[in-house]
Every structure is written in structure tokens, then in C-alpha cells.
Amino acid sequence: MPALLSPDAPPRASSQQHFELRRFDAPVGAEVIGLDIAKPIDDAAFARLHRAHLDHHVLVFRDQRITPAQHIAFSRRFGPLDIHVLHQFHLGDHPEILIVSNIKKDNGEPLGLGDAGAYWHSDISYKPEPSLGSLLHAQELPGEGGDTLFADQHLAWEALAPALQQRVLGLKAEHSYLAKYEALRAKNPWRPALSQAQIDKVAPAVHPVVRTHPETGRKALFVSEHFTTRILGLPQDEGDALLAELCANSVKSEFVYRHRWAPHDLVFWDNRSLMHLAAGTPDALRRKLYRTTVRGDAPF
Ligand code: OGA
Ligand code: MN
């Protein structure tokens, strides 16, 4: 006869979740099959997820029926969460969630950040401590379009000619949220004007052009056309030309996984290893996702 469990015994083995990983036929990404984020995830399962995230850079969890609170709680296991500067697009009582959506409310105001990621970037690279990774959960998807692309910046670094690698190793670049904000606002007038308090929160940051992943030790390019404004120590035109060359290399198709969203997908990517891009949604179609952003370390 098995011994009776005392009331404070740990959960029995049968409550543990088993899951599989299936790599995509792409340079990055894997699907996590059989895991329900709404249910408890023990430390051993979490450790496997953590390892898989480092190995594949993008993890896709299909059909996750999670509440915002569960989305936040799962995200927090990877680190502290960033609160996005555009408080206008926080989800109600959950400032940890940024609404990414092209939907307009009945009064005409935007429900969320409609042009989030309409350019290649790494989330919050404009902060001194950019993001470790972001978790995007599908709420409402368009019948066509709305894909998200991910480009492996380790591969992008490794593909550079040795002479170019030598030239950029050790360079630093400035990243700015504000530099292109007004240009975005001119294109998309629904973007709110920033208050002085918001402006103060997003002072430019300086990061190495080539960063070392703090957990795997792999090098990755860390510049983007949108947020990176200049390379320190170079004349602006020379820096611009170098940035353009690096950015053109960064997003070659052989480094890219294209995610086609399915209902209730949760996608968790590594902002230290990847850049990503919202491929675009036809204006007439509605799209809404919730994003949490895990803060990371200062790049080195
Ligand atoms: C983001 C982002 C891309 C997308 O939420 O950080 O860049 O496809 N989104 O919505
Ligand atoms: Mn983004």
C-alpha cells in the first residue's frame, strides 16, 4: 500500500506536465507541444523551456487559453517585466501588458499600438537595459497578413566578412526611441504626443554594435535601422553607411523565420539573439495581441 500523502505534500508526479519540442524548418524557432501555460509548470519543466529558448530563440506555444494575469505570471518567471513608455496602450489594470493592435475604439481612439514593429528592431533596445525577450499572445487575428518575422543576429554576425567583423567589433552605437518618433507620428497621427515625463523615460542609450549573449556567450549584431541613430566615433555619413550595410546583411532571408499566427498562439522570442518585424496587416482587418516584455541585462 502506498503511504498516504500528508496535506502539505508536494504535488504528485502525475500533475507534472510533459511536453515536446519540434524545431521549425527554419533557421530559428521551435514549437512547444503539450504544455498548458495555465497549469503549474514545475522547475524541471521550466528549466527545459529556458534551455529551449536559448537554443531556438523563438518558442511557439499553440492554443494557450491564458488570462492576462497568467500571461504576466509566466513571463515573470524569466525576469522582471518592463512597463512600456506608451501608457496609453497599457491593458487596463495590467500595465505589464502592452496592447499591440490596429483596432480603433468607438470614439475613434486607438486601442493599442497599431504600428508596433513595422520596422526591424529588438524590443526596447533604446533603454540602458534592453529586453531579454518578449511574449506576444494572440487575441484577435486578421484573415490574411499580420505575420511576424524573426531574424537570427548570431547568424548575421557570423556571416560578415572577417574584415568587416574586425571593423565593427568594439564599436558602440546610440539607440533612441525619440529620434524617429515624430516621423512615425506624421505617418500615423493616432500616435500620442509624448509628455515630458514620457520623454524623460526614454533618454538615448549606448550599446556595443556586437553584443555577447549573457547566457550562451554567442556574439550577435545589435543594431537596427529604426532605433540605432549613430555609431560613436565615426563621422555621421560614414556611420550611416556602415549601419546600412550591417542592417541589409542582418535580415537576409536565410536568417529569417516567418511566424503565421494561429488563434491563441503565445510566442516567446529572445531579443538578445534576434530582430523582428511586423510584416503588416491590411487596414480593413482587425488584429490584436498582448505583449509582455522581460527586461534583460546591459549588453556587453
Ligand atoms: C512587438 C512587435 C510585431 C507584430 O510587439 O514588439 O514588434 O507582429 N510586434 O505585432
Ligand atoms: Mn517589437
Side-chain angles (χ1 to χ4, degrees):
M1 281 273 289
L4 284 175
L5 291 173
S6 66
D8 56 358
R12 289 187 300 163
S14 62
S15 72
Q16 285 173 17
Q17 298 198 62
H18 297 280
F19 63 87
E20 286 170 31
L21 292 165
R22 187 158 62 208
R23 281 190 77 127
F24 296 136
D25 182 17
V28 298
E31 190 175 329
V32 180
I33 300 164
L35 188 79
D36 182 347
I37 307 277
K39 294 195 178 135
I41 298 170
D42 66 20
D43 289 345
F46 181 78
R48 263 186 82 207
L49 281 181
H50 179 202
R51 186 67 245 167
H53 190 246
L54 296 175
D55 290 344
H56 302 289
H57 315 313
V58 186
L59 296 181
V60 174
F61 307 80
R62 302 283 187 192
D63 198 30
Q64 297 295 319
R65 312 294 174 118
I66 49 172
T67 63
Q70 288 167 330
H71 179 171
I72 290 167
F74 179 63
S75 305
R76 277 216 174 104
R77 289 185 72 172
F78 294 92
L81 302 187
D82 181 73
I83 306 293
H84 199 274
V85 65
L86 291 180
H87 58 77
Q88 290 89 341
F89 303 135
H90 292 171
L91 175 67
D93 295 339
H94 298 294
E96 300 87 352
I97 288 186
L98 175 74
I99 305 175
V100 172
S101 181
N102 62 356
I103 297 172
K104 298 285 181 290
K105 297 190 251 187
D106 290 343
N107 65 7
E109 284 176 13
L111 181 70
L113 190 56
D115 58 357
Y119 37 78
W120 284 102
H121 66 288
S122 173
D123 286 334
I124 62 169
S125 74
Y126 49 83
K127 289 195 168 179
E129 292 179 341
S131 169
L132 176 159
S134 303
L135 297 95
L136 205 49
H137 187 226
Q139 305 291 318
E140 193 174 337
L141 295 172
E144 60 169 285
D147 296 349
T148 308
L149 276 58
F150 297 92
D152 187 326
Q153 296 309 292
H154 300 299
L155 295 180
W157 158 253
E158 288 157 13
L160 292 183
L164 187 52
Q165 286 187 333
Q166 277 308 313
R167 185 166 166 225
V168 298
L169 208 57
L171 290 178
K172 290 186 188 307
E174 181 187 74
H175 294 238
S176 165
Y177 186 72
L178 300 174
K180 297 211 174 77
Y181 191 87
E182 288 310 319
L184 278 180
R185 210 169 147 237
K187 243 166 81 182
N188 297 311
W190 51 261
R191 270 199 179 243
L194 297 176
S195 67
Q196 190 58 47
Q198 285 173 310
I199 290 171
D200 293 344
K201 282 188 185 140
V202 287
V206 170
H207 300 304
V209 168
V210 184
R211 72 181 293 185
T212 303
H213 194 292
E215 298 187 80
T216 63
R218 291 183 70 191
K219 286 187 170 57
L221 278 180
F222 196 62
V223 289
S224 70
E225 244 155 20
H226 188 76
F227 289 136
T228 312
T229 45
R230 64 193 178 91
I231 295 185
L232 273 56
L234 293 185
Q236 186 75 36
D237 55 348
E238 198 180 314
D240 287 350
L242 181 54
L243 274 176
E245 184 178 358
L246 293 175
C247 291
N249 165 78
S250 288
V251 297
K252 285 187 182 152
S253 60
E254 61 261 38
F255 311 145
V256 171
Y257 161 64
R258 172 181 283 260
H259 184 67
R260 297 182 174 85
W261 291 89
H264 313 288
D265 273 358
L266 176 73
V267 176
F268 177 28
W269 67 88
D270 191 330
N271 279 306
R272 303 163 299 186
S273 297
L274 305 171
M275 286 208 286
H276 61 282
L277 167 76
T281 302
D283 280 343
L285 301 181
R286 291 161 63 98
R287 182 176 189 266
K288 181 170 78 164
L289 306 99
Y290 290 166
R291 176 179 123 192
T292 52
T293 313
V294 182
R295 218 184 306 136
D297 308 319
F300 55 87

